[in-house]
Amino acid sequence: MKRFVVQITLLVVLTGALVAQQATPATKEPELAVRVTTRMVLVDAIVLDREGHPVKGLKADDFTLTEGGVPQRIASFSEHVSEGVTQARMPPVIPPHVTTNRPAVTQVNAEHQTIAVLMLDGLNTPAQDQIYVKQQMLKFLAREYDPNTKLAVIALTNKLAVLQNFTQDPQALRAALNRYLAETPAMARSGGQLETTSPLAYAPVVTMPAQATGGPGSSSGPDPGLPATLAAGGSNASIAEDIAYMMDRFQRESENFSRDTRVSTTLAALEQISRFMSGQNGRKVLLWFSTGFPFSVQGDSPSAMEAERNYGDQIRRTINLLNDAHVATYTIDASGLTPTSMGDPSISGRDANGNIHHGIDTNRALSEESFQRFSTHDAMETIARDTGGRYFGNTNDLDGAIQSALRESSSYYMLGYYPGNKKWDGKFRNIKLQVNRQGTQLRYRRGYFAINPSDWRKDKGERTLTASLTANSLPSTEVTFMARALPPSPNADTVVEFAVDPATISFQAEAENHHFSTLQFEVQAFSPEGKLVKAEVQSAEASLPEPTYERVRKQVMPMSVPIRLAPGKYVLRLGVRDNLTGLFGTSDLAVEVPGKQESKR
C-alpha cells in the first residue's frame, strides 16, 4: 500500500465535468457541514395521530428524550415534510469518463421527497408467495402514484440485484417488476449448496446449546440423537438403526447449514442496503417483503437439540447498521393469512386404517411449528420496531401495507443529542422518546450500541471495502465522491482522479488548530468477463490548519491514483474509505485503454 501526505490546495477536481442538460434556476443548497468525531446521536421519529396520519408542526419542547432512563438535552431539531417541487430539475449529463455515488447529483430534489426501497426477498420466500407479492406491488403502482415518492426495486436471491434504481416513474417500476421471475435459490432449500459469490455473506456465528454437537460451538460429548445401542457399541446395533441414524444426522446438518447460510446472507444484504441508502439525507424507508427467518431455532427432543440456533446477536448488529444509516424497516409478511397444520383439512390425524393417531410425535411437530412461526414473526417485528418502522403480519392486504408505510413516512422529525454517558464501551443503550400530545404514537429507533468509531478495524473490518468492490455489491454512499479517468496515452498509466465530499468524512482536532483526516483509495480493474486484472491501493493523510480547513469544507478533497493497464476495456471499481470511522463509498467506471498507434508512412 502506498501512502501519501496530501497538502490540500484550492484546486477543485472535476469542476465543469458535469454539463447540465438545460439551464436551471439558482437554488439554495443545504450548507456543507464537515462531519467530525463528536458523539451526537441522531434520532428520526414519526408522530402519528389516532387515525395513523402524521402530526406536523411540533417543536423541540414538545419532545422528551431519555437514554437509559436519564433525560437528555435536545441539541438539534428539525421537521421534514415530503412536498411537491415547484420546478423539476433534470439530472445532469455525466460524461462517459466520469462517475459519482453522490445522490445529490444523480437524484435531484431527493431532499424534498420520501425515499424508499421495495425489496422482494426470494431467498426466504416460497415462489408462490413471491408471485403474490409481485401482484400486490403492481396493484399499488396501478393506483394514483405519489410523485413525491422516489422508489427503487431490489431483489434478493443468492445476491442482491437492482431491478430499478430510484425513480418517480411508475411505468419504469412496473416494467422492472414485470421482468422479475419468482425463483427459489438452492441455498434456501434444505441441504442446498451455497451459490453466492459474495464474500460479504460472512460465516455463520450462532449460539449453540452446550449439549449440541456437529456444528459451531459443539461439545466433545456424544451426539444426543445417537441410539442407545449405537452409543454402547458392540453387535446390538442393527444395520437399520445405523442407517437411520446417519440419514437423520445428515438431514439435520443440511438443515443447519442451509438455515445458517440463509440468515447470514440476508443480514449481509441488509447491510449492503444500509450503505446503499446512507448517502440520502434524513430518514429512508425499506419495505421488505418476506416470509422471514426465525430469531432462534429450538429443539424439543435430545436429537433435535443439535439444530438449536440463536441469531439474536447478528440481528442486533444489523439493526444498528440500519439505524446509523437512518433506514426505517417496514417488514411485510409475504405469506399473508396462513393457517397452522392443525387447521389443514388435508391432515386428518388418522392412519392408513382410519384410526385416530395423534401421539407424542404429532404434538411435538405442532409445538415446533408454533414456535418457529412465533420466532419468525418475532424476528421480523423486532427488526421493524427497533429501526423505527412497522411490522405488517397476518394480512393479505400487502398493497394497503405499502400505502400505509409510505403515507406515514411522508413527515418526520430529526432530533440530535450528546449523550451524558461519555463511556463508549460498545454496550447497547436504550432510547425512549415521548411527545406531549394525547392519543399519539411514535416510531423511532429504540437504542444504539455505544461503539467507538476507532474500533471499526475489529472483526476484520479492514477487509470490508475490498470485499465490497470484489463482490460487485450495491454502491455504498457512506462516503461520497466524484471521479474521472481520462483515456491514457499508449504505454502510460491510467490516472483516476478523485474528488471526495468533505461533508462525508471525519476530521480529528489536533494541536495548534489543525484538523487531521486519513483516507484510503482503492481501484480494482475488472475485465468485461468479470475477472480481477489489477488493483491499486493508496492511503492519504492531511493535517489542515484552520484557514485551509475552512476552505476545504466548501470544496473537495482531491486525490490521484495511477494504475498501469494493458490495452483493452475494463470496469474500474472505485472505493474511498474514511480511516477514522471505517465508513466508505464505492462506484463503478468503464474505461478503455488504447493500444499502440501505428506509425504513418
Side-chain angles (χ1 to χ4, degrees), residues 353-417:
N353 298 322
N355 299 318
I356 296 178
H357 187 67
H358 276 308
I360 187 171
D361 292 337
T362 302
N363 291 333
R364 282 178 175 172
L366 290 172
S367 176
E368 181 178 357
E369 178 189 354
S370 298
F371 178 82
Q372 296 305 321
R373 182 185 296 270
F374 171 80
S375 182
T376 298
H377 290 181
D378 185 47
M380 297 181 70
E381 186 172 6
T382 297
I383 293 174
R385 181 190 65 242
D386 289 356
T387 59
R390 179 182 173 189
Y391 170 58
F392 294 90
N394 229 12
T395 178
N396 287 330
D397 187 13
L398 305 189
D399 167 37
I402 302 173
Q403 295 276 5
S404 178
L406 295 179
R407 181 177 62 249
E408 70 178 39
S409 299
S410 63
S411 176
Y412 68 92
Y413 299 90
M414 185 70 74
L415 301 87
Y417 71 98

Side-chain angles (χ1 to χ4, degrees), residues 77-97:
F77 178 86
S78 58
E79 181 181 9
H80 301 261
V81 179
S82 178
E83 56 188 12
V85 180
T86 55
Q87 183 173 358
R89 290 183 291 158
M90 297 297 294
V93 176
I94 300 180
H97 62 281

Side-chain angles (χ1 to χ4, degrees), residues 233-544:
S235 60
N236 292 330
S238 67
I239 296 178
E241 285 180 321
D242 195 0
I243 294 175
Y245 162 72
M246 295 304 296
M247 292 181 62
D248 179 65
R249 181 178 179 85
F250 175 78
Q251 177 67 20
R252 282 184 281 147
E253 290 182 352
S254 297
E255 291 176 353
N256 292 345
F257 174 80
S258 177
R259 188 189 306 108
D260 292 345
T261 303
R262 184 161 52 90
V263 172
S264 295
T265 302
T266 303
L267 296 180
L270 293 177
E271 179 179 338
Q272 282 192 54
I273 290 175
S274 70
R275 291 193 169 108
F276 176 58
M277 303 182 72
S278 179
Q280 302 279 3
N281 289 329
R283 183 181 189 271
K284 284 80 66 174
V285 177
L286 170 61
L287 295 163
W288 177 18
F289 301 86
S290 175
T291 54
F293 53 82
F295 208 112
S296 60
V297 179
Q298 186 179 52
D300 58 357
S301 65
S303 63
M305 287 182 179
E306 185 176 346
E308 289 191 0
R309 295 291 193 273
N310 190 312
Y311 305 104
D313 290 341
Q314 289 175 268
I315 292 174
R316 280 185 284 271
R317 286 195 296 269
T318 302
I319 289 173
N320 199 57
L321 289 171
L322 291 167
N323 280 330
D324 287 345
H326 299 286
V327 177
T329 306
Y330 288 77
T331 53
I332 303 173
D333 188 356
S335 61
L337 293 170
T338 54
T340 64
S341 297
M342 182 65 77
D344 189 344
S346 65
I347 302 177
S348 64
R350 296 179 181 272
D351 57 22
N353 298 322
N355 299 318
I356 296 178
H357 187 67
H358 276 308
I360 187 171
D361 292 337
T362 302
N363 291 333
R364 282 178 175 172
L366 290 172
S367 176
E368 181 178 357
E369 178 189 354
S370 298
F371 178 82
Q372 296 305 321
R373 182 185 296 270
F374 171 80
S375 182
T376 298
H377 290 181
D378 185 47
M380 297 181 70
E381 186 172 6
T382 297
I383 293 174
R385 181 190 65 242
D386 289 356
T387 59
R390 179 182 173 189
Y391 170 58
F392 294 90
N394 229 12
T395 178
N396 287 330
D397 187 13
L398 305 189
D399 167 37
I402 302 173
Q403 295 276 5
S404 178
L406 295 179
R407 181 177 62 249
E408 70 178 39
S409 299
S410 63
S411 176
Y412 68 92
Y413 299 90
M414 185 70 74
L415 301 87
Y417 71 98
Y418 295 95
N421 185 355
K422 306 300 182 183
K423 185 178 180 181
W424 300 92
D425 52 11
K427 295 182 179 179
F428 186 79
R429 298 181 182 177
N430 291 295
I431 294 175
K432 185 176 182 180
L433 190 64
Q434 295 176 304
V435 64
N436 61 356
R437 292 289 190 277
Q438 294 294 329
T440 56
Q441 54 180 321
L442 285 83
R443 307 200 197 286
Y444 60 95
R445 64 187 297 182
R446 300 296 169 160
Y448 68 99
F449 287 93
I451 299 173
N452 192 321
S454 62
D455 292 339
W456 65 268
R457 287 183 172 85
K458 295 180 179 179
D459 299 325
K460 303 178 181 178
E462 288 274 8
R463 305 180 184 178
T464 307
L465 172 57
T466 301
S468 179
L469 294 174
T470 304
N472 194 22
S473 304
L474 296 182
S476 172
T477 60
E478 292 176 328
V479 174
T480 59
F481 61 89
M482 297 184 69
R484 71 176 179 182
L486 295 175
S489 302
N491 298 322
D493 290 341
T494 298
V495 179
V496 180
E497 297 177 330
F498 290 86
V500 183
D501 186 352
T504 61
I505 60 177
S506 303
F507 290 83
Q508 279 185 344
E510 293 185 317
E512 300 178 356
N513 292 326
H514 277 59
H515 302 267
F516 175 76
S517 179
T518 171
L519 304 174
Q520 178 164 307
F521 298 82
E522 291 197 25
V523 178
Q524 295 186 11
F526 288 80
S527 67
E529 296 76 27
K531 180 181 179 181
L532 177 62
V533 177
K534 194 171 184 180
E536 287 289 341
V537 180
Q538 295 183 4
S539 64
E541 298 178 353
S543 183
L544 309 178

